[in-house]
Amino acid sequence: KRMNIVVCVKQTPHPAMPGQLDPGSKTLKREGKLIMDESDSFGVEMGLQLAEKAGGGEVTIVSMVPAARLQGMRSALAMGAAKAVLVADDALVGTDALGTAKVLAAAVKRIGDVDLVLTATESTDGYTGTVPAQLGELLGWPSLTFARAIEIGDGKVKIERQTEKGYNEVEASLPAVVSV
């Protein structure tokens, strides 16, 4: 069976750009150039490697951006992802972590036949770190966090979960959500 992997990618303002916070709404300004969050490139690369190891598969990028900006997604596609799903709606401006997880979960369900969802542990602009677990809960799938390595086989995902003193081995049945 082909492995279908979704990688959630956040497009964030370039960290070197000044004046990123809107003083009125206290939200990030997303009008300027957006880039793929640096932490997400690791997930894209891991997804591509897992699809290849599985003897074929497909990596789909999913991103939610209030204004339909594609720069960050183009980077992920250039790395080798097969396709991308962009959710863009002005009504999503200022959405919190749970709202983001609900949108991403709906996108994953709509894609269908997904074996694994990869996310970053947390974004470099929000730092909540809650979206991966919320996404797992909304999909009804196990959620494994802080993965430094992932193996797939026999309908299971096994990770090495990074800890302060090394790592733990954790496994769950597929489909699953894994933060890297």
Side-chain angles (χ1 to χ4, degrees):
K1 178 188 180 304
R2 287 173 50 92
M3 192 82 192
N4 289 321
I5 300 169
V6 167
V7 181
C8 298
V9 168
K10 188 167 189 184
Q11 299 179 96
T12 59
H14 195 289
M17 298 298 290
Q20 295 181 3
L21 208 58
D22 181 297
S25 68
K26 305 277 193 277
T27 59
L28 276 178
K29 293 184 196 171
R30 297 187 187 273
E31 299 89 54
K33 182 176 192 233
L34 299 180
I35 60 167
M36 177 169 58
D37 194 321
E38 197 176 316
S39 55
D40 289 329
S41 58
F42 185 57
V44 174
E45 187 57 44
M46 198 172 266
L48 293 167
Q49 288 174 9
L50 288 169
E52 192 176 311
K53 275 187 203 163
E58 197 167 73
V59 173
T60 302
I61 303 303
V62 173
S63 188
M64 179 184 110
V65 184
R69 299 251 155 81
L70 303 173
Q71 298 98 315
M73 294 187 73
R74 284 194 183 105
S75 302
L77 289 167
M79 290 173 73
K83 58 189 174 191
V85 175
L86 175 71
V87 180
D89 188 325
D90 289 339
L92 299 173
V93 172
T95 300
D96 63 6
L98 181 57
T100 299
K102 287 178 179 179
V103 169
L104 295 173
V108 169
K109 287 176 186 170
R110 194 167 200 178
I111 291 165
D113 195 30
V114 173
D115 300 296
L116 180 67
V117 173
L118 296 175
T119 72
T121 298
E122 61 186 359
S123 65
T124 57
D125 61 355
Y127 295 107
T128 66
T130 60
V131 171
Q134 291 169 333
L135 187 53
E137 180 66 22
L138 290 163
L139 291 168
W141 298 354
S143 176
L144 287 69
T145 56
F146 299 103
R148 69 176 200 178
I150 303 176
E151 281 181 47
I152 304 280
D154 300 324
K156 290 187 176 169
V157 57
K158 184 191 288 185
I159 70 162
E160 290 179 4
R161 174 185 281 146
Q162 187 70 46
T163 68
E164 288 182 21
K165 295 181 179 170
Y167 69 92
N168 298 325
E169 289 189 354
V170 182
E171 73 175 35
S173 60
L174 291 172
V177 176
V178 177
S179 72
V180 299

